[in-house]
Amino acid sequence: MAANLSPVFTTVGLVGGYAVARYTKKRPLGGLVLGAAGVAAAREWQRDLEGPVTAGLTVAYLGAFGAAHPLAKKIGAWPAVLSLAGVVGAASVGAASAVAARSGGR
């Protein structure tokens, strides 16, 4: 199995997308970063993982984006974005590790 870059892509998408939207004050630019990184992560998942796992991780990525807004009201914007990016990245690593363990590391 090739190196799985999906945790990098999800982190860039969530953290980078928020940063771009916040500092440029142009939400569509942040959305572009979020979307492009999400597509890149999904391609990695699709290449390395089974369909239902790919779908679940995609839902988690999009859900993290949606959950960041209400969570930010409770703990602040940056803590919300960083914690949710960590959760999605960890889920991606965990899924890839589980598949590698089942296939004997191939």
Side-chain angles (χ1 to χ4, degrees):
M1 180 175 358
N4 187 324
L5 297 175
S6 59
V8 174
F9 293 139
T10 59
T11 301
V12 167
L14 292 167
V15 176
Y18 173 69
V20 167
R22 179 174 179 154
Y23 296 117
T24 66
K25 303 209 185 311
K26 297 188 185 327
R27 293 179 82 181
L29 286 178
L32 184 63
V33 172
L34 178 80
V39 167
R43 289 177 61 112
E44 290 281 311
W45 294 326
Q46 187 177 29
R47 183 191 74 202
D48 295 340
L49 305 173
E50 299 160 351
V53 177
T54 297
L57 289 169
T58 301
V59 167
Y61 179 72
L62 295 173
F65 169 69
H69 293 85
L71 185 59
K73 291 180 181 179
K74 297 186 182 313
I75 65 172
W78 277 113
V81 170
L82 293 172
S83 62
L84 290 168
V87 167
V88 175
S92 184
V93 169
S97 296
V99 168
R102 276 192 307 219
S103 67
R106 290 182 232 166

